[in-house]
Amino acid sequence: MMNSNDLIGWHGTTILCVRKGNQVAMAGDGQVSLGQTVVKGNARKIRRIAQGRVLAGFAGATADAFTLLERLEAKLERFPDQLERAAVELAKDWRTDRYLRRLEALLAVADRSRSLLITGQGDVLEPEDAVIGIGSGGNYALSAARALLPVEGIDASEICRRSMAIAADICVYTNGNMILETLESVVGKEPTL
């Protein structure tokens, strides 16, 4: 299915979320491209929300993503420290609300215990390996992170740094201008979704 981003040629987001040991890290590159032109090289696609307790990264239409982030923050105010429930409530609204249904973005969110991917199809997914990659270079960063995950001696933030560098070397819509945020994680939390 073609979306409005395909029609105007916007590309250029790579978001990666990695959970390892007692740390969760989320990284995003800074490039926004229009066709074959780099429009901006230092966009900030990672945010701390819910008074800094949740990391959120987005891919897709920026205005749409900000609308969804605002809605997610409202859900987190209603359900404090319940990221999974807030994400499910947002996904339900996104799927059923006539206005929200038209929004084109993906959200990667993480708190101390969960890493979730939220889509406009009503999906709230928690990957079994706790690694999420979205955007133009998302699959490159995801592959690199999965390869680095079992390596001893490197934490989630270092996995993000190395994986994003690999994605930037491969994907023309990804640059090396990376924003990285981390949270202390709850060790041993089992995925449920």
Side-chain angles (χ1 to χ4, degrees):
M1 179 173 142
M2 184 172 279
N3 63 40
S4 61
N5 290 339
D6 295 328
L7 296 175
I8 61 171
W10 284 100
H11 295 281
T13 299
T14 300
I15 303 296
L16 179 65
C17 181
V18 175
R19 183 178 298 276
K20 183 177 180 183
N22 65 348
Q23 185 183 66
V24 60
M26 188 175 291
D29 79 308
Q31 184 167 311
V32 177
S33 303
L34 177 59
Q36 297 177 336
T37 305
V38 175
V39 177
K40 186 173 183 173
N42 63 347
R44 186 172 177 85
K45 304 164 194 172
I46 303 290
R47 299 280 188 274
R48 283 183 176 270
I49 60 174
Q51 287 122 14
R53 294 186 314 268
V54 175
L55 302 178
F58 60 86
T62 304
D64 293 356
F66 282 134
T67 299
L68 293 166
L69 288 175
E70 287 172 5
R71 296 281 180 125
L72 179 60
E73 278 198 282
K75 299 292 183 189
L76 286 165
E77 286 176 15
R78 186 171 170 205
F79 306 108
D81 298 319
Q82 298 179 56
L83 179 60
E84 184 176 355
R85 181 160 185 199
V88 168
E89 293 296 321
L90 173 65
K92 285 195 293 191
D93 290 352
W94 194 355
R95 176 89 171 138
T96 59
D97 182 274
R98 180 174 282 197
Y99 167 72
L100 292 178
R101 255 195 320 247
R102 294 192 173 114
L103 300 182
E104 296 176 358
L106 288 173
L107 298 179
V109 296
D111 66 4
R112 293 184 65 233
S113 59
R114 296 253 187 282
S115 298
L116 303 171
L117 172 64
I118 310 170
T119 75
Q121 285 74 45
D123 298 316
V124 177
L125 305 168
E126 184 174 22
E128 63 187 53
D129 60 2
V131 179
I132 298 170
I134 59 174
S136 301
N139 284 336
Y140 304 118
L142 175 70
S143 298
R146 284 185 175 166
L148 292 169
L149 200 57
V151 175
E152 295 293 324
I154 60 172
D155 62 10
S157 60
E158 184 60 23
I159 291 172
C160 278
R161 280 186 196 89
R162 292 181 188 190
S163 300
M164 291 295 289
I166 290 168
D169 285 346
I170 296 170
C171 178
V172 297
Y173 300 112
T174 302
N175 71 10
N177 188 0
M178 181 185 65
I179 301 291
L180 176 72
E181 296 281 354
T182 62
L183 290 173
E184 184 178 319
S185 180
V186 175
V187 179
K189 186 71 178 173
E190 294 298 318
T192 59
L193 294 180

